[in-house]
Each structure stands twice: as C-alpha cells, then as structure tokens.
C-alpha cells in the first residue's frame, strides 16, 4: 500500500488521538482533578466575561442613544465609553441596593414579629378546630390538649442552625478563607470585565487575527456568523427578561395597590427581582409574598394567591412568550422546553442559559433546513 505524506500525517494524528483517548479513560480520576484545577483558575475570568456580557447591554445602549459614539468624535467619543460603563455599573448596583434596602429590612421585621403572631394565632386556630370538629369528641379533646411551647421551638431551631453551621464551617478560619476567596474572585472578575468593555473593539480585532491565522476563511466566516448570532440572541434575551420582570412587578404593584393589599411596593419589587429567573422565578416571589401577607391577614394571603394565579396566567400565556420568546426568536413551546431542561440540568443558571442557547441552535437549524429545501427546490410546504 502506497501512502503519501498527507495519508501518513493523518494516520499519525489518528494513532495519537486513540492513545490520548485510551490514557484519558485509564486516568479519568486524575483528569477530573486536573479539570477542576483548571476551572478553579479560570473561574474569575469566566465570571468576569459573564459580567462584561451583561453590562455590555446597557452600556451599548447608553453609548448609542446618550453619547452617539458611532457619530461622535474627539473628547466626547473618548469620554462616552467610560461614562457609559460607570452609569451601567451604577444602574446594576442601584437595582441590587434597592432590593436589599427595601426587601431585606422588611423581611427582618416580619420574621421578628412571626413568633408573636403565630403564638397569638395558635389559640384561635385551636378554638376554630374544636368548633369545627365538635361532633367528634376524640379529635376535639386531642386538639384541646395540644400544647405549643414557642420558646422551646425557637431554641431548638437556633440549636439546629448552630450545629448545622458548625458542621458546614468547621472553623472561623475556614469561613474567613471562603469569604476572602469570594471577594478576590469577585474583584478579579470585575476588573477583567471592565478591561473587556473598555477594549472590546481591540479584543475583537485580536480574536479575528487569531482565527484567520489558524483557520480557513470559510470556517472563520461561519464561526463569526455563529458568534454574532449568539451575541444578538443573548443580548436580546437579557433585555427581554429585564423588561418582562419590570412589567410583572408593575402589574403586581398596581393591582395590589388598587385592591389594598399590604406590602404592595415590597412584593412588587420582590417579584420583579425573582422574575429574572425564567417562568418559575415569580413563584419564589409568590411564596415569600404570601408568607408576608399571611402574617398580617390570613384571608388576604389566600386572596393574594388567587391574584397571583390570575396575573401569572396573563404573564405566562400572553406577556412572557411575546416579550422574551420573540426577543430570542424562539417559539413559546421551545421557551418552556428550554427552561424545563435547563432547570433540571443546571438549576437557575441552566434556566438563564438554555433559552438563548436553544434559540441559537434553533436559528442555525432553521437556516440549514431552509438551505436544504432551496437546494431541492421545494417551496410549497
């Protein structure tokens, strides 16, 4: 058999690949440890890239609409980008601070009053239960004999938390090390994100040069098209998700104010914040909101659940598929599939990532289908 140089080179690569796969299977545990080590090193930079992507959405909007960077020249163009970045950071930090300053204190006050409210409600609940089951003497006597030592329950809960904290954090040093690592990763990620955003055109040119240096022009064009589609899809998803969260939070605030529910502003902000988690996030806000209202008025708490179900149907069937589904170019049914699959595989992060990711795959597959149909001259389907 006569082999030319190209065949020999391909055969050598095939043998090398087979050896690498064999060694990888035999030493899977070592490779897993090494992969975790690499991920640990790259984590702050991956986090910074994610920060840069999210911040780039409001930053690009401010650059175009407020400073007109595409048309401006001179000092305005030089100042526009850092000013847009600072304003975007202030916007994101402001939203987080509003949630912390509005929601957290109210939650703290509510939990402080829970013990007194529950302790006062238990005798009333016992009286109601006795009157309800007065025909069954055994159940009525059992309910009357129930005794709740609320102080003991609180003490047991505190002891449980202390023991749990002691098991999770074996020492103060371990906790301090964890806090320092988190802060360091966050700081490195933030600096890396700022650098990316301030130098994004330069970085884009450098990446293009690397692609063209090692890949063919056809492959580079395809890769850049996919990257462009992915960026537009993810950016539109972030914009649509934020818009949907604002709409839902505003709906709850307006209807709760009109119907004179307590904590209208608090619950509206809370639901808007949790609604950033696709489809299921609002249910978290509903659970917390129901708890807050139940402490004040149990009947109002039940009415709030009914209100939530009504508004959730409107939001889930009319607003979300059109606002977020259209923003990522994905039909409503695939939005639901993406959220369900992503949530089961990766939790909350999977929900956030799988919708735009599914949209990219859907758009690429649709392009391929239409191209094949055109090649076969099939039009009327």
């Amino acid at each position: 058999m006569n082999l030319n140089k190209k065949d020999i080179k391909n055969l050598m690569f095939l043998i090398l690949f087979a050896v690498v796969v064999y060694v990888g299977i035999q030493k899977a545990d070592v490779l897993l440890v090494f992969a975790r080590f690499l991920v640990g090193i790259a984590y702050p930079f991956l986090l910074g890239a994610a920060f840069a992507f999210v911040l780039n959405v409001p930053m690009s909007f401010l650059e175009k609409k407020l400073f007109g960077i595409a048309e401006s020249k001179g000092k305005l163009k030089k100042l526009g980008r850092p000013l847009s970045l600072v304003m975007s950071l202030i916007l994101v930090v402001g939203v987080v601070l509003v949630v912390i300053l509005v929601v957290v204190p109210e939650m703290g006050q509510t939990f402080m009053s829970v013990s007194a409210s529950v302790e006062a409600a238990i005798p009333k609940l016992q009286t109601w239960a006795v009157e309800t089951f007065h025909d069954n003497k055994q159940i009525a006597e059992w309910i009357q004999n129930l005794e709740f030592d609320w102080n003991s329950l609180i003490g047991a809960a505190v002891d449980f938390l202390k023991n749990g904290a002691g098991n999770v954090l074996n020492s103060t040093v371990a906790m301090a090390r964890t806090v320092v690592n988190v802060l360091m990763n966050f700081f490195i990620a933030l600096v890396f994100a700022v650098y990316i955003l301030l130098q994004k055109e330069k970085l884009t040119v450098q990446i293009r040069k690397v692609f063209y240096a090692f890949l063919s022009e056809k492959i580079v064009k395809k890769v850049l098209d996919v990257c462009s589609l992915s960026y537009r899809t993810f950016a539109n998803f972030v914009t649509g998700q934020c818009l949907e969260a604002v709409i839902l939070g505003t709906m709850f605030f307006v209807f709760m104010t009109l119907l004179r529910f307590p904590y209208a502003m608090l619950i509206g902000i809370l639901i808007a914040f949790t609604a950033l988690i696709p489809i299921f996030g609002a249910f978290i806000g509903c659970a917390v909101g129901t708890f807050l209202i139940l402490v004040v008025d149990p009947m109002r708490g039940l009415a709030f659940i009914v209100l939530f179900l009504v508004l959730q149907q409107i939001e889930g069937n009319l607003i979300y598929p059109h606002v977020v589904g259209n923003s990522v170019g994905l039909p409503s049914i695939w939005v639901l599939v993406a959220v369900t699959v992503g949530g089961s595989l990766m939790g909350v992060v999977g929900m956030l990532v799988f919708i735009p990711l599914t949209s990219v795959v859907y758009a690429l597959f649709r392009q391929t289908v239409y191209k094949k149909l055109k090649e076969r001259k099939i039009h009327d389907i």
Side-chain angles (χ1 to χ4, degrees):
M1 181 174 63
N2 295 325
L3 297 175
N4 55 32
K5 291 184 178 181
K6 184 177 180 180
D7 293 333
I8 295 174
K9 185 178 179 180
N10 291 336
L11 185 60
M12 291 178 62
F13 274 118
L14 183 61
I15 294 172
L16 179 62
F17 177 75
V19 171
V20 170
V21 171
Y22 176 78
V23 173
I25 294 174
Q26 294 295 320
K27 301 293 183 180
D29 53 342
V30 177
L31 289 177
L32 184 60
V33 172
F34 182 68
R36 288 178 178 173
F37 173 73
L38 291 180
V39 171
I41 294 176
Y43 176 76
F45 301 103
L46 296 174
L47 184 63
F51 284 170
F53 179 84
V54 174
L55 288 171
N56 188 55
V57 176
M59 177 179 165
S60 297
F61 176 82
L62 293 173
E63 284 181 338
K64 293 177 182 178
K65 302 298 182 181
L66 193 60
F67 295 99
I69 280 185
E71 297 82 12
S72 62
K73 297 180 181 180
K75 293 183 178 180
L76 181 60
K77 187 171 184 178
K78 292 181 179 179
L79 291 175
R81 172 150 301 168
L83 288 176
S84 300
L85 176 57
V86 171
M87 292 173 67
S88 301
L89 286 170
I90 292 174
L91 176 64
V92 173
V93 173
V95 171
V96 175
L97 286 178
V98 166
V99 174
I100 293 175
L101 295 177
V102 173
V103 176
V104 174
E106 195 63 50
M107 289 288 293
Q109 293 179 5
T110 302
F111 279 114
M112 290 294 291
S113 63
V114 161
S115 59
S117 299
V118 172
E119 192 172 6
I122 287 176
K124 297 179 181 179
L125 184 61
Q126 283 182 306
T127 303
W128 173 82
V130 170
E131 293 176 355
T132 303
F133 296 100
H134 67 276
D135 293 333
N136 193 322
K137 293 183 179 180
Q138 291 180 343
I139 296 178
E141 290 178 358
W142 177 75
I143 293 173
Q144 284 180 328
N145 292 329
L146 285 177
E147 294 183 359
F148 294 91
D149 190 348
W150 191 245
N151 293 327
S152 299
L153 291 176
I154 293 177
V158 171
D159 291 338
F160 174 79
L161 292 175
K162 287 181 179 179
N163 294 331
N167 293 329
V168 175
L169 302 172
N170 294 320
S171 66
T172 306
V173 175
M175 183 175 65
R177 187 184 299 117
T178 302
V179 172
V180 170
N181 287 336
V182 170
L183 292 177
M184 284 296 296
N185 287 336
F186 179 81
F187 179 76
I188 294 172
L190 185 60
V191 172
F192 187 64
V194 170
Y195 174 78
I196 291 175
L197 292 172
L198 293 178
Q199 303 288 332
K200 54 185 179 181
E201 284 84 3
K202 184 178 180 180
L203 290 173
T204 302
V205 172
Q206 291 174 345
I207 292 172
R208 284 176 177 269
K209 288 180 179 179
V210 172
F211 282 167
Y212 279 109
F214 294 98
L215 301 173
S216 65
E217 186 175 351
K218 183 179 179 180
I219 294 177
V220 171
K221 187 177 183 302
K222 188 64 177 177
V223 170
L224 293 178
D225 288 341
V226 173
C227 291
S228 178
L229 175 64
S230 302
Y231 172 75
R232 292 196 307 270
T233 302
F234 275 79
N236 290 337
F237 171 71
V238 172
T239 304
Q241 193 67 38
C242 292
L243 179 60
E244 185 267 344
V246 172
I247 292 173
L248 185 61
T250 304
M251 287 173 56
F252 270 91
F253 171 70
V254 171
F255 279 95
M256 289 181 68
T257 302
L258 292 176
L259 297 175
R260 300 184 182 279
F261 278 91
Y263 304 118
M265 176 67 75
L266 170 65
I267 294 175
I269 294 175
L270 183 63
I271 288 181
F273 189 75
T274 55
L276 293 174
I277 303 172
I279 295 180
F280 303 111
F283 287 96
I284 301 173
C286 172
V288 178
T290 302
F291 172 74
L292 292 174
I293 297 175
L294 278 173
V295 173
V296 177
D297 187 344
M299 294 306 297
R300 284 278 184 177
L302 297 176
F304 174 74
I305 295 176
V306 175
L307 176 65
F308 173 82
L309 293 175
V310 173
L311 294 181
Q312 183 65 21
Q313 288 297 315
I314 296 173
E315 185 266 348
N317 295 316
L318 298 177
I319 299 174
Y320 188 87
H322 292 285
V323 173
V324 179
N326 289 343
S327 69
V328 297
L330 194 63
S332 305
I333 185 173
W334 296 116
V335 173
L336 180 60
V337 171
V339 169
T340 304
V341 174
S344 62
L345 292 177
M346 299 171 59
V348 175
V349 176
M351 294 180 185
L352 295 173
V353 171
F354 263 66
I355 290 181
L357 186 63
T358 305
S359 180
V360 172
V361 175
Y362 176 83
L364 294 174
F365 183 71
R366 183 175 59 183
Q367 289 178 2
T368 304
V369 169
Y370 279 105
K371 182 180 179 181
K372 295 292 184 182
L373 291 175
K374 187 177 180 180
E375 290 176 352
R376 296 186 179 186
K377 297 181 180 179
I378 300 175
H379 303 287
D380 300 328
I381 294 181

